[in-house]
Amino acid sequence: MNFEIKEGEIFGLLGPNGAGKTTTINMMNGLLKPTSGTVNVRGYNIRKNLKKIQELIGVCPQHAAIYKFLTGRENIKLFGNLHLIDKKVLKKRVNDLLEAVNFTGAADRKVKGYSGGMLRQINLLIALINNPDIVFLDEPTVGMDPRARRTAWKFIGKIKEQKKTIILTTHYIEEAEALSDHVGIIDYGEMIALGTPKELMEKHGGKDLEEVFMKITGRRILEGI
């Protein structure tokens, strides 16, 4: 697998269950050490400059990394404190993030009472608390209701407007088609298609990205290997 992501773009990574999406982005963000090959982020080699790369990135993992005995606001503040963000700056940043996804009303409730979709929203905000240049979003809208998902889409679009680079994995192909500047489709650990959504539809004769996906993988995105 060999590909490049341009600065300031949204790169959608698609593939069936077990294709290697999460493994790939975990090697890119340093959570998993590659057995071979390497990743370069802003000119820094992940094998040699991992700490520097971690200063540039924010990660929204597939499974919510949240303390359920804290409130949503307290969870975001906790991770902000781990980044050693100034208290005044942190307070404003937390408020701004909560308002951006219309979450202020539920922010001061204990997380243990949140729905799965609400947990994903807090997880997304935690990934952004350090104001990263590069954001890894691993299935960020799973479990969200349609309204929350659309709010998240708009929010991700606003993140891009700040010239941030976003790497997005998703099981919602319409999400990748709506948000991504470029899309990579992987299957069995290999990149089998790469281009803009329009380029892929034209090349493979699909009316939408889902049809392209079905043609080149031969299976639906949620099917296992």
Side-chain angles (χ1 to χ4, degrees), residues 55-122:
E55 294 174 6
L56 300 172
I57 67 175
V59 180
C60 177
Q62 190 175 51
H63 302 290
I66 292 173
Y67 294 95
K68 293 190 176 182
F69 56 86
L70 299 176
T71 67
R73 187 187 303 274
E74 288 169 342
N75 267 280
I76 303 171
K77 286 178 65 177
L78 171 62
F79 283 88
N81 286 325
L82 292 175
H83 283 289
L84 303 179
I85 300 171
D86 177 82
K87 289 185 178 181
K88 289 184 179 179
V89 174
L90 179 58
K91 182 178 180 180
K92 183 179 188 306
R93 197 172 289 175
V94 171
N95 289 336
D96 289 346
L97 287 171
L98 289 168
E99 289 175 7
V101 293
N102 300 321
F103 206 91
T104 304
D108 297 306
R109 287 165 41 194
K110 297 287 186 184
V111 167
K112 64 181 180 181
Y114 283 6
S115 66
M118 293 168 76
L119 290 173
R120 299 299 298 172
Q121 285 179 291
I122 291 296

Side-chain angles (χ1 to χ4, degrees), residues 18 30 36 41 51 58 61 102-103 126 158 172-173 202 213 215 224:
S36 63
V41 179
K51 287 186 177 180
N102 300 321
F103 206 91
I126 287 172
K158 289 179 180 178
Y172 302 111
I173 299 184
E202 290 176 350
F213 185 92
K215 281 188 175 184

Side-chain angles (χ1 to χ4, degrees), residues 123-155:
N123 213 35
L124 173 59
L125 300 187
I126 287 172
L128 297 166
I129 192 59
N130 62 322
N131 194 26
D133 293 333
I134 302 165
V135 187
F136 291 87
L137 304 179
D138 193 1
E139 299 182 26
T141 63
V142 168
M144 291 185 186
D145 61 48
R147 179 178 294 180
R149 186 176 301 134
R150 291 287 175 175
T151 299
W153 288 12
K154 291 180 181 178
F155 183 50

Side-chain angles (χ1 to χ4, degrees), residues 3 5 9-13 166-168 180 182-184 191 194:
F3 62 99
I5 298 172
E9 76 169 353
I10 298 179
F11 183 88
L13 191 61
I166 301 168
I167 297 93
L168 169 72
S180 302
H182 286 87
V183 171
M191 186 75 73
L194 186 64

